[in-house]
Amino acid sequence: MCSLVVLAAILISRPFVEMGLIDDFSYVKTAFIFAHTGHFVFNGWATAMLGAQIVWAAPFIKLLGDSFFATRVSTVVLATLCVWVTHAVFRRVGLERGPAALGALTLGLSPLFVPMAVSFMTDISGLIAIVACIYCCLRAMESSNTRAVLSWLVLAEIVGLLGGTTRQIAWVTVLAMVPSAAWILRRRRGVLLLGVALWLVSVAFIGACMWWFKHQPFNVPELLIQHRLRWRDARELAGTLLAALLCLCLVLMPALAAGSVALRRMKWWQLALLLAGSIVAVLVCRFITYHLTEKGLLPWTGDIIDKLDVFDSPNAWLLGVAPTTLGVTGRAIGSAIVLFTTALFVVALYKTRGSVRSGAAHRHSWRDLITLFAPFTAAYLALLIPRGIWAMVIDRYLLPLIVIALIFLLRLYQERVSSTLPWTSWVVLFILGAFTVLGTHDWIASHRARLQAVQQLERAGIPRSKIEAGYEFDGMTQIDLRGVVIDPRVHYPPSVDTRPYRPAGVPPQCKALFNPHTPAVHPELFLAYEQVPCLGPSRFDAVSYRGWMPPFHREILILQRVQ
């Protein structure tokens, strides 16, 4: 039922559009080539290995044709299965039906999960591998038969290795989680030896895959250490990690809202103090995280949630600033609500420290759960630190941490507060799920409007190479015309022209109109959310579309360079 609810939410958002979403234009092109030739061909944009995801998409492409729709259907299938397996994991760690269902839906209806489920990005493929590996480890820990224990550990190894060929971060499961499960079961005959053997196999397999990927033409290398560490980097790292923690609290709101039971035991002055403290915390957190694009307010760290009518920065994905529902005031209020709800949950755990009788069988002790998850979580966070120093810990990187956080939050609540969740958790889940569906619809609708604008120009005889239609569309155009996207980290042969396109006579302040990654695109007409400097109206009408959240009337402008 949880899987069907999430599938319905995905379909209600009207998610399909025949153009790229974020980086998946590059991955889709690789999938098309593999489906017809059986060869992996990279195009200068993918830092992920793609592996198993490309193989998984091939039969969908064979059945449905070379379309974005075919590849994204393959992701939707994985997303639906991911919710199913996540629910099974929650039940096996001892959660009762209500908390397990709320946990599965908190993940499945989150503003990180649904937008990724309707794309061909690698996040869902990596996530289902991690969750399935957790499930296999839990089954191994529950098995009384030694052969079953060994079989589940081997299956966890296979799942983790395959998942890592899509998204390398999933390999943390075989390097940290599977060995942890083997250590828990070390008293079983042959398990410790198998654990060592599996770890050695993992190292050899990962090394071979990385060697293969390194030698593929036009792969994008990404170094862990990118330049010398400065004191400023350390300060910004602290802010970046805090922003990621706050964003994690945002998507965990349905579970954290269970802390509302503490309101019955609080006096008015305690509630006022908690509310005042939350407002002060918003200001402090804003000061610490202000260096990020979101300027210290909800959702604190960006990429996906930003796009769901929350926040946009100038010329981020398309020229201009996208229409948003939440202004600075709305984001500040939302920030205070998230911090207040988080604090209330902590108070609820503190005020009710008794033991609650639960009908769910606790197959796994806290010690075993901490042993299983702590090394994986520590390794995962350690790998995020370089991104926090030199780039950005974007919100979709938090998906695996959502699952682990829900396990601990919901089981803590179930054991210390109540075996049933209050109605506030389900109301918050409904609100967050509705926001996800509405925001995802508006995000995809803007892409459909862009595609309509391009088709209008093509009917007027204007080729795609003369149209600046945003990062995702132009990337596919570049690949179609030149075979590769231009990235300074990639080694290109002399036959590939890597020089950025800069038409003569363009003032310096107008050079940002031309994307250095797509020099094959020589735009004369530009799509934009709003009027921008250096461009003026063209003879073509704007393309209107309707949002499901305010502002309801939106449009994509078609502009041209001012001579």
Side-chain angles (χ1 to χ4, degrees), residues 39-72:
H39 296 290
F40 277 86
V41 177
F42 298 99
N43 45 55
W45 199 250
T47 56
M49 198 172 293
L50 305 180
Q53 176 170 309
I54 300 298
V55 178
W56 167 259
F60 293 88
I61 295 170
K62 288 286 190 180
L63 180 64
L64 301 172
D66 289 8
S67 63
F68 286 92
F69 174 79
T71 58
R72 289 167 184 163

Coordinates of all heavy atoms in Angstrom, one line a residue, residues 39-72:
H39 N 27.5 -1.0 -25.7 CA 28.7 -0.4 -25.3 C 28.4 0.8 -24.4 O 27.4 1.5 -24.6 CB 29.5 0.1 -26.5 CG 30.0 -1.0 -27.3 ND1 31.0 -1.9 -26.9 CD2 29.6 -1.4 -28.6 CE1 31.2 -2.8 -27.9 NE2 30.4 -2.5 -28.9
F40 N 29.2 1.1 -23.4 CA 29.1 2.3 -22.6 C 29.9 3.4 -23.3 O 31.1 3.3 -23.5 CB 29.7 2.0 -21.2 CG 28.7 1.4 -20.2 CD1 28.6 0.0 -20.2 CD2 28.0 2.2 -19.4 CE1 27.8 -0.6 -19.3 CE2 27.1 1.5 -18.5 CZ 27.0 0.2 -18.5
V41 N 29.2 4.5 -23.6 CA 29.8 5.6 -24.2 C 29.5 6.9 -23.4 O 28.3 7.3 -23.3 CB 29.3 5.8 -25.7 CG1 29.9 7.1 -26.3 CG2 29.6 4.6 -26.5
F42 N 30.5 7.4 -22.7 CA 30.3 8.6 -21.9 C 30.5 9.9 -22.8 O 31.1 9.8 -23.9 CB 31.3 8.6 -20.8 CG 31.1 7.5 -19.8 CD1 31.8 6.3 -19.9 CD2 30.1 7.5 -18.9 CE1 31.7 5.2 -19.0 CE2 29.8 6.4 -18.0 CZ 30.6 5.3 -18.1
N43 N 30.0 11.0 -22.3 CA 30.0 12.2 -23.1 C 30.5 13.4 -22.4 O 30.0 14.6 -22.8 CB 28.6 12.4 -23.7 CG 27.5 12.2 -22.6 OD1 27.5 12.9 -21.6 ND2 26.5 11.3 -22.8
G44 N 31.3 13.3 -21.4 CA 32.0 14.4 -20.8 C 31.2 15.1 -19.7 O 31.5 16.2 -19.3
W45 N 30.2 14.4 -19.2 CA 29.4 15.0 -18.1 C 29.2 14.2 -16.9 O 29.0 14.7 -15.8 CB 28.0 15.4 -18.7 CG 27.3 16.5 -17.8 CD1 26.2 16.3 -17.0 CD2 27.7 17.8 -17.7 NE1 25.9 17.4 -16.4 CE2 26.8 18.4 -16.8 CE3 28.7 18.6 -18.2 CZ2 26.8 19.8 -16.4 CZ3 28.8 19.9 -17.8 CH2 27.8 20.5 -17.0
A46 N 29.3 12.9 -17.0 CA 29.0 12.0 -15.9 C 30.2 11.8 -15.0 O 31.2 11.3 -15.4 CB 28.5 10.6 -16.4
T47 N 30.0 12.1 -13.7 CA 31.0 11.7 -12.7 C 30.6 10.4 -12.1 O 31.5 9.7 -11.5 CB 31.0 12.8 -11.6 OG1 29.7 13.0 -11.0 CG2 31.5 14.1 -12.1
A48 N 29.3 10.0 -12.2 CA 28.9 8.6 -11.7 C 29.2 7.6 -12.8 O 29.3 7.9 -14.0 CB 27.4 8.7 -11.4
M49 N 29.4 6.4 -12.4 CA 29.8 5.3 -13.3 C 28.6 4.8 -14.2 O 28.8 4.3 -15.2 CB 30.4 4.2 -12.5 CG 31.2 3.2 -13.3 SD 32.1 2.0 -12.3 CE 33.2 3.0 -11.5
L50 N 27.4 5.0 -13.6 CA 26.1 4.6 -14.3 C 25.8 3.1 -14.5 O 24.7 2.7 -14.4 CB 26.1 5.3 -15.7 CG 26.3 6.8 -15.8 CD1 26.2 7.3 -17.2 CD2 25.3 7.5 -14.9
G51 N 26.8 2.3 -14.7 CA 26.8 0.9 -14.8 C 25.4 0.2 -14.8 O 24.8 0.1 -15.8
A52 N 25.0 -0.4 -13.7 CA 23.8 -1.2 -13.6 C 22.6 -0.5 -14.0 O 21.7 -1.0 -14.6 CB 23.7 -1.8 -12.2
Q53 N 22.5 0.9 -13.8 CA 21.3 1.6 -14.1 C 21.1 1.6 -15.6 O 20.0 1.6 -16.1 CB 21.5 3.1 -13.6 CG 20.3 4.0 -14.0 CD 20.3 5.3 -13.3 OE1 20.4 5.4 -12.1 NE2 20.2 6.4 -14.1
I54 N 22.2 1.7 -16.4 CA 22.2 1.7 -17.8 C 21.7 0.4 -18.3 O 20.8 0.3 -19.3 CB 23.5 2.1 -18.5 CG1 24.0 3.5 -18.0 CG2 23.5 2.0 -20.0 CD1 23.1 4.6 -18.4
V55 N 22.2 -0.7 -17.8 CA 21.8 -2.0 -18.2 C 20.3 -2.2 -17.8 O 19.6 -2.8 -18.6 CB 22.7 -3.1 -17.4 CG1 22.2 -4.5 -17.8 CG2 24.1 -2.9 -17.8
W56 N 19.9 -1.8 -16.7 CA 18.5 -1.9 -16.2 C 17.5 -1.2 -17.2 O 16.4 -1.7 -17.5 CB 18.3 -1.4 -14.8 CG 16.9 -1.2 -14.4 CD1 16.2 0.0 -14.3 CD2 16.0 -2.2 -13.9 NE1 15.0 -0.2 -13.8 CE2 14.8 -1.5 -13.6 CE3 16.1 -3.5 -13.7 CZ2 13.7 -2.2 -13.1 CZ3 14.9 -4.2 -13.3 CH2 13.8 -3.5 -12.9
A57 N 18.0 0.0 -17.7 CA 17.1 0.8 -18.6 C 17.0 0.2 -20.0 O 16.0 0.5 -20.7 CB 17.6 2.2 -18.6
A58 N 18.0 -0.6 -20.4 CA 18.0 -1.1 -21.8 C 16.7 -1.8 -22.2 O 16.2 -1.4 -23.3 CB 19.2 -2.0 -22.0
P59 N 16.1 -2.7 -21.5 CA 14.9 -3.3 -21.9 C 13.7 -2.4 -22.0 O 12.8 -2.5 -22.9 CB 14.6 -4.4 -20.9 CG 15.5 -4.1 -19.7 CD 16.6 -3.4 -20.2
F60 N 13.7 -1.4 -21.2 CA 12.6 -0.4 -21.2 C 12.8 0.5 -22.5 O 11.8 0.8 -23.2 CB 12.7 0.6 -20.0 CG 12.3 -0.1 -18.7 CD1 13.3 -0.7 -18.0 CD2 11.0 -0.1 -18.3 CE1 13.0 -1.3 -16.8 CE2 10.7 -0.7 -17.1 CZ 11.7 -1.3 -16.3
I61 N 14.0 0.8 -22.9 CA 14.2 1.5 -24.1 C 13.9 0.6 -25.3 O 13.3 1.1 -26.3 CB 15.7 2.0 -24.2 CG1 16.0 3.0 -23.1 CG2 16.0 2.6 -25.6 CD1 17.5 3.3 -22.9
K62 N 14.2 -0.6 -25.3 CA 13.9 -1.6 -26.4 C 12.4 -1.6 -26.5 O 11.8 -1.7 -27.7 CB 14.4 -2.9 -26.1 CG 15.9 -3.1 -26.2 CD 16.4 -3.1 -27.7 CE 17.8 -3.4 -27.8 NZ 18.3 -3.4 -29.2
L63 N 11.6 -1.6 -25.4 CA 10.2 -1.8 -25.5 C 9.5 -0.5 -25.8 O 8.5 -0.5 -26.6 CB 9.7 -2.3 -24.1 CG 8.2 -2.5 -23.9 CD1 7.7 -3.6 -24.9 CD2 7.8 -2.8 -22.5
L64 N 9.9 0.6 -25.3 CA 9.2 1.9 -25.4 C 9.9 2.9 -26.4 O 9.3 4.0 -26.6 CB 9.1 2.6 -24.0 CG 8.3 1.7 -23.0 CD1 8.4 2.4 -21.6 CD2 6.9 1.5 -23.4
G65 N 11.1 2.5 -26.9 CA 11.7 3.4 -27.9 C 12.7 4.4 -27.2 O 12.8 4.5 -26.0
D66 N 13.5 5.1 -28.0 CA 14.5 6.0 -27.6 C 13.8 7.3 -27.1 O 13.6 8.2 -27.8 CB 15.5 6.4 -28.7 CG 16.4 5.2 -29.0 OD1 16.2 4.1 -28.5 OD2 17.3 5.4 -29.8
S67 N 13.5 7.3 -25.8 CA 12.7 8.5 -25.3 C 13.1 8.6 -23.8 O 13.5 7.7 -23.1 CB 11.2 8.2 -25.4 OG 10.8 7.1 -24.6
F68 N 13.0 9.9 -23.3 CA 13.2 10.1 -21.9 C 12.2 9.4 -21.1 O 12.4 8.9 -20.0 CB 13.1 11.6 -21.6 CG 14.3 12.4 -22.1 CD1 14.3 13.0 -23.3 CD2 15.3 12.6 -21.2 CE1 15.4 13.7 -23.8 CE2 16.4 13.4 -21.6 CZ 16.5 13.9 -22.9
F69 N 11.0 9.2 -21.7 CA 9.9 8.5 -21.0 C 10.3 7.1 -20.6 O 10.1 6.6 -19.5 CB 8.6 8.5 -21.9 CG 7.5 7.6 -21.4 CD1 6.7 8.1 -20.4 CD2 7.3 6.3 -21.8 CE1 5.6 7.3 -19.9 CE2 6.3 5.5 -21.4 CZ 5.4 6.0 -20.4
A70 N 11.0 6.4 -21.6 CA 11.4 5.0 -21.3 C 12.3 4.9 -20.2 O 12.2 4.0 -19.3 CB 12.0 4.4 -22.6
T71 N 13.3 5.8 -20.2 CA 14.3 5.7 -19.1 C 13.7 6.0 -17.8 O 14.1 5.4 -16.7 CB 15.5 6.6 -19.4 OG1 15.0 8.0 -19.6 CG2 16.2 6.2 -20.7
R72 N 12.8 7.0 -17.7 CA 12.2 7.4 -16.5 C 11.2 6.4 -15.9 O 11.0 6.3 -14.7 CB 11.6 8.8 -16.6 CG 12.8 9.8 -16.8 CD 12.3 11.2 -17.2 NE 13.4 12.1 -17.4 CZ 13.4 13.2 -18.1 NH1 12.3 13.6 -18.7 NH2 14.5 13.9 -18.2

